[in-house]
Amino acid sequence: MRILPFVVNGQKLEKSDNESFESLIRGSTGYLKCSFTFDESWDGYTKAVEFLSTESPQYFFLNKDNTIDIPSNITSLPYFKVKLIGILGKESKFSTNAVLVKQKRGY
């Protein structure tokens, strides 16, 4: 399992360790996972991730440990973007910027 770590401060999403994102090879299944560390502004919010690609956006709720397995239809692409959405009740919602993740072609 390879973990791609992100840090979230308010509405700003960043890669927390650029080395973890180097040399990603597309086409893996059940191997890549995103992990998120949040600041206190996210306390109490339900957290969802949005994977953006050349296909329609896909949304998933984060696990209790603030991780998510990246779906294989996303890992098969040359690149994708990650964005977070915070939901509190029916009226309050906010999101982050999208972060680009590039993957190389396998040999």
Side-chain angles (χ1 to χ4, degrees), residues 33 40 78 102:
K33 178 182 276 198
E40 64 280 350
K102 295 180 182 179

Side-chain angles (χ1 to χ4, degrees), residues 3-4 6 9 18 35 37 45 64 70 73 76-77 90:
I3 298 175
L4 305 180
F6 293 88
N9 291 303
N18 281 328
S35 172
T37 302
Y45 280 82
K64 289 184 181 184
I70 303 174
N73 65 317
S76 65
L77 302 170
K90 295 180 181 179

Side-chain angles (χ1 to χ4, degrees), residues 17-102:
D17 177 11
N18 281 328
E19 289 181 22
S20 297
F21 292 81
E22 294 296 320
S23 302
L24 291 174
I25 306 298
R26 65 183 177 188
S28 60
T29 301
Y31 177 66
L32 287 179
K33 178 182 276 198
C34 292
S35 172
F36 301 93
T37 302
F38 293 89
D39 71 3
E40 64 280 350
S41 69
W42 284 79
D43 290 352
Y45 280 82
T46 299
K47 301 165 187 110
V49 64
E50 178 181 0
F51 291 110
L52 304 154
S53 66
T54 55
E55 302 173 4
S56 298
Q58 296 182 42
Y59 303 90
F60 301 93
F61 289 106
L62 295 184
N63 298 321
K64 289 184 181 184
D65 63 353
N66 291 326
T67 63
I68 187 76
D69 293 332
I70 303 174
S72 59
N73 65 317
I74 297 295
T75 60
S76 65
L77 302 170
Y79 68 89
F80 60 92
K81 293 181 181 179
V82 177
K83 180 179 174 180
L84 288 170
I85 300 167
I87 304 161
L88 185 63
K90 295 180 181 179
E91 300 298 321
S92 183
K93 180 174 107 172
F94 72 102
S95 62
T96 67
N97 57 297
V99 173
L100 179 66
V101 177
K102 295 180 182 179

